[in-house]
Amino acid sequence: MKTFRYILGAIAVVCGFASCDDENYMRYDTAHSGIYFTGDTVRYSFGVTPIDIREHTIKVPVAIMGALSGSDRTFSYELVTADCVGEEGKQYVMGTPVVHADSTSGYIPITVLRDGLKGNYQDGYERYKLTLRLTAGDTFVPTLDSASQVRVVMFDNAVEQPEWYNAMGEKVWSLSTLGKWHPYKFIKMVEYFHALENTLPETYKKMVALYGENLEHIEYGDPYQYRTVFKKYIYLPMYEHFNDPANEQMILAEYPDFPFDFPYPF
C-alpha cells in the first residue's frame, strides 16, 4: 500500500507538470504568438530640443509571448480614428511595426514632424494625440487584458516658461539677466547647459542634481550656487549667438517676434 501511494503521488506530480506544460503550450507554442503593449501613455515634446532638430521618432513599445524567431517580424495595429488629432504626413508619419530577430520586444515607430506642429507660446500650443490598438495578424494576436492592447501617444512642440518661483510663490524670469521671456532663449539656455557635460563633466553632474536635467528647478530663478559658471558658459554664448548678424535671419524665420534684448552678462 505504501508503494502504491508513492506511485499515485508520482502520477499526480507528473499530471500536474503535464497540465502546466499544456497551459504553456497553449500560451507560447501556438502558431500565432501573443502581443501586448508595455508601459503607460507615451509622451514626447520637442520642448527645449535644439531648433535644428526637425523630427523625432517615437518608439511605442510592445512585448510578445511565444517562441522567438530568427528573423524580423511585423505585427498589426490600427489607429482609433475618433481620437486622432492631426494628419499623417503633416504632423506625423507612421512607420512599419517590428519585432526584431531573437527578441521578445518590438515597437511601432512614429516620426513626429516639428514643422507641422501648430501653436506658439502666445496663442497656445496644439496638443496631438493618437490612440493605437493592436489587432490580430498573420503572426501575432493581442493578448492579456484590453488595456494592454491599447496605447495612447501624445506629442507637441510646447516650450513653457520654466517653473521657477520666488519666495512669494510667484513665477519668475529675470529681465535684468535674461531680457524678456521667449521660448528660444530657454531652448538655447538648456542647449549650452547640456554642453557642460563635455567641458565640465563633474560640475555638470552636480548642477543637474541641483537644477534638473533641463533646468526645471532653479530656486528663485537665480542659479547663485553656480552663477560664475552660468555667466561664462551659458549666458555669454547666448549673448554672442543672439547678437551674431549671421544668425539673425535664421532666428527671425523661426521666431518673427524674437526680442533681441539679451543683456551682456559681465
Side-chain angles (χ1 to χ4, degrees):
M1 287 298 293
K2 187 175 182 180
T3 301
F4 181 68
R5 286 198 297 271
Y6 283 143
I7 293 173
L8 285 178
I11 292 173
V13 170
V14 171
C15 288
F17 281 126
S19 175
C20 287
D21 286 343
D22 287 343
E23 182 181 346
N24 286 340
Y25 178 81
M26 293 299 293
R27 189 173 183 184
Y28 296 110
D29 295 333
T30 57
H32 292 76
S33 298
I35 191 167
Y36 58 96
F37 283 115
T38 59
D40 299 315
T41 297
V42 179
R43 303 176 188 273
Y44 177 76
S45 177
F46 280 101
V48 293
T49 304
I51 64 170
D52 58 326
I53 297 176
R54 308 312 299 177
E55 60 183 48
H56 173 79
T57 299
I58 301 169
K59 294 182 177 180
V60 186
V62 299
I64 68 167
M65 291 179 176
L68 301 182
S69 172
S71 58
D72 290 355
R73 290 177 287 177
T74 188
F75 55 91
S76 300
Y77 72 94
E78 64 181 0
L79 283 173
V80 181
T81 54
D83 289 338
C84 287
V85 177
E87 182 178 345
E88 184 169 8
K90 290 187 177 180
Q91 283 82 36
Y92 64 94
V93 175
M94 304 300 302
T96 301
V98 64
V99 174
H100 287 300
D102 301 317
S103 178
T104 58
S105 61
Y107 58 86
I108 300 173
I110 304 174
T111 300
V112 182
L113 308 175
R114 193 174 199 170
D115 291 338
L117 304 184
K118 300 178 181 179
N120 55 63
Y121 75 102
Q122 293 176 318
D123 303 319
Y125 295 96
E126 187 77 44
R127 313 286 180 168
Y128 297 87
K129 173 184 175 183
L130 302 176
T131 302
L132 313 178
R133 178 185 291 125
L134 295 169
T135 59
D138 294 336
T139 309
F140 297 99
V141 293
T143 189
L144 299 183
D145 55 20
S146 58
S148 300
Q149 299 170 19
V150 177
R151 188 60 72 241
V152 173
V153 181
M154 304 182 73
F155 54 92
D156 58 53
N157 191 31
V159 187
E160 308 289 357
Q161 186 173 332
E163 301 290 318
W164 302 342
Y165 296 94
N166 61 20
M168 282 80 72
E170 302 166 331
K171 187 178 285 190
V172 294
W173 174 268
S174 176
L175 293 175
S176 61
T177 303
L178 305 170
K180 182 182 177 182
W181 154 254
H182 193 277
Y184 187 51
K185 291 181 180 179
F186 193 48
I187 289 173
K188 295 304 292 184
M189 183 185 299
V190 173
E191 178 183 336
Y192 290 125
F193 174 61
H194 287 168
L196 291 174
E197 185 173 12
N198 296 320
T199 56
L200 300 172
E202 293 305 316
T203 300
Y204 175 75
K205 289 179 184 178
K206 295 176 183 178
M207 293 172 73
V208 168
L210 190 60
Y211 303 132
E213 185 177 358
N214 292 317
L215 300 177
E216 301 95 335
H217 312 295
I218 295 184
E219 190 177 24
Y220 308 126
D222 179 13
Y224 58 89
Q225 301 93 333
Y226 291 94
R227 189 175 295 150
T228 300
V229 174
F230 263 79
K231 285 185 176 183
K232 182 177 180 179
Y233 293 98
I234 299 176
Y235 295 156
L236 182 59
M238 290 174 68
Y239 175 83
E240 292 171 343
H241 175 79
F242 297 140
N243 286 276
D244 186 344
N247 296 327
E248 183 176 358
Q249 291 306 311
M250 177 274 294
I251 294 173
L252 291 175
E254 186 75 21
Y255 300 105
D257 64 340
F258 184 76
F260 291 89
D261 65 343
F262 195 86
Y264 183 66
F266 292 102

